[in-house]
Amino acid sequence: MTEGPGLRERKKIQTRRRLLFEATKLFTERGFEQVSVAEIAEAADVSKMTVFNYFDSKEDLVFAPMEEHIGDVAEVVRNRAPGESAVAGVRRHFLAAIENRDPSVGVSDSPVALGLLQLIQQTPTLHIRAHAFFGLSLNQLTEVLVEEGEEPTIARIAASQLIGTRNALITENHRRLLAGEPIEEIAADAVVIAGRGFDLLEKGLGDFATRV
């Protein structure tokens, strides 16, 4: 039987979660630029130094949950089953995330997830950093494909299509969330449009959008 984390580790996890919760609450109430690290520390009942023990900057209090998912696609492709293509693996993972209402694919309307999304959209500096995650995910997936023996340029082309498709689907989910649409409708439609998107990847663009 595997033992869970000890008391010290559990306290660290609780402190980290409390900091993220209080920071998100303050940011969404007053705006990112209007909240100081000292105010976040006070709200979480810790010292300012404690905040920086857990997070390198104020921006990290917004992006820490998102950064945990930067390597998701690369990890899925690296660990896919024998006989499973990269596209099939990414499709499987994406559809499972929709089913689980995972915030990482834009199908969670929890107050924290929605608050962070609104905050990023409304704050230019945060929006720029969020966009940079695309490049990091792309680089990681490219490295995995190169490790498997693919030529670097082809690996990057394939990775761009996989990451681009996934990001386009997430962007649409975010758009609908911010518009206030019901999460169940968003999730149901997301499954359908994801199917079409990944079908295009599996079959190639071919005759898609042929002008008549």
Side-chain angles (χ1 to χ4, degrees):
M1 182 176 178
T2 303
E3 293 185 5
L7 177 61
R8 180 181 177 85
E9 188 61 28
R10 290 200 304 273
K11 286 185 175 180
K12 289 174 66 176
I13 293 171
Q14 290 170 358
T15 300
R16 186 176 187 277
R17 288 177 177 171
R18 187 165 70 252
L19 284 167
L20 287 170
F21 175 81
E22 295 296 345
T24 301
K25 182 180 177 182
L26 288 170
F27 291 153
T28 53
E29 286 175 352
R30 293 164 45 196
F32 179 77
E33 303 293 350
Q34 284 67 47
V35 177
S36 69
V37 173
E39 289 172 314
I40 294 167
E42 182 178 358
D45 196 26
V46 299
S47 69
K48 184 177 177 179
M49 183 60 68
T50 297
V51 178
F52 287 117
N53 286 339
Y54 285 84
F55 303 96
D56 292 335
S57 67
K58 190 170 73 166
E59 287 82 1
D60 286 343
L61 284 155
V62 175
F63 289 107
M66 296 174 61
E67 288 178 337
E68 294 174 1
H69 295 282
I70 288 175
D72 280 1
V73 180
E75 199 64 23
V76 167
V77 172
R78 178 180 285 112
N79 296 322
R80 69 193 185 282
E84 184 177 46
S85 70
V87 176
V90 176
R91 180 204 289 259
R92 169 178 51 77
H93 180 264
F94 192 85
L95 292 177
I98 294 174
E99 184 177 353
N100 293 329
R101 302 297 184 265
D102 195 320
S104 69
V105 297
V107 286
S108 172
D109 61 352
S110 73
V112 171
L114 195 55
L116 285 174
L117 180 57
Q118 291 170 332
L119 181 68
I120 291 168
Q121 293 294 322
Q122 295 166 1
T123 311
T125 55
L126 299 180
H127 195 267
I128 291 170
R129 179 166 172 179
H131 186 70
F133 288 170
F134 175 91
L136 294 173
S137 296
L138 174 60
N139 291 341
Q140 290 186 23
L141 179 55
T142 300
E143 288 174 7
V144 170
L145 297 175
V146 170
E147 288 168 5
E148 294 187 356
E150 189 52 78
E151 195 278 325
T153 301
I154 297 300
R156 194 161 191 85
I157 290 171
S160 296
Q161 292 183 64
L162 281 162
I163 297 293
T165 296
R166 192 174 182 275
N167 282 2
L169 295 168
I170 294 172
T171 298
E172 175 61 7
N173 294 340
H174 285 167
R175 182 192 68 78
R176 296 183 65 180
L177 269 177
L178 291 171
E181 295 186 36
I183 190 64
E184 294 307 315
E185 290 184 12
I186 296 173
D189 291 344
V191 171
V192 175
I193 196 67
R196 291 186 61 194
F198 286 112
D199 280 348
L200 280 175
L201 283 183
E202 286 185 336
K203 298 171 184 176
L205 292 178
D207 294 333
F208 175 75
T210 299
R211 179 165 290 179
V212 296

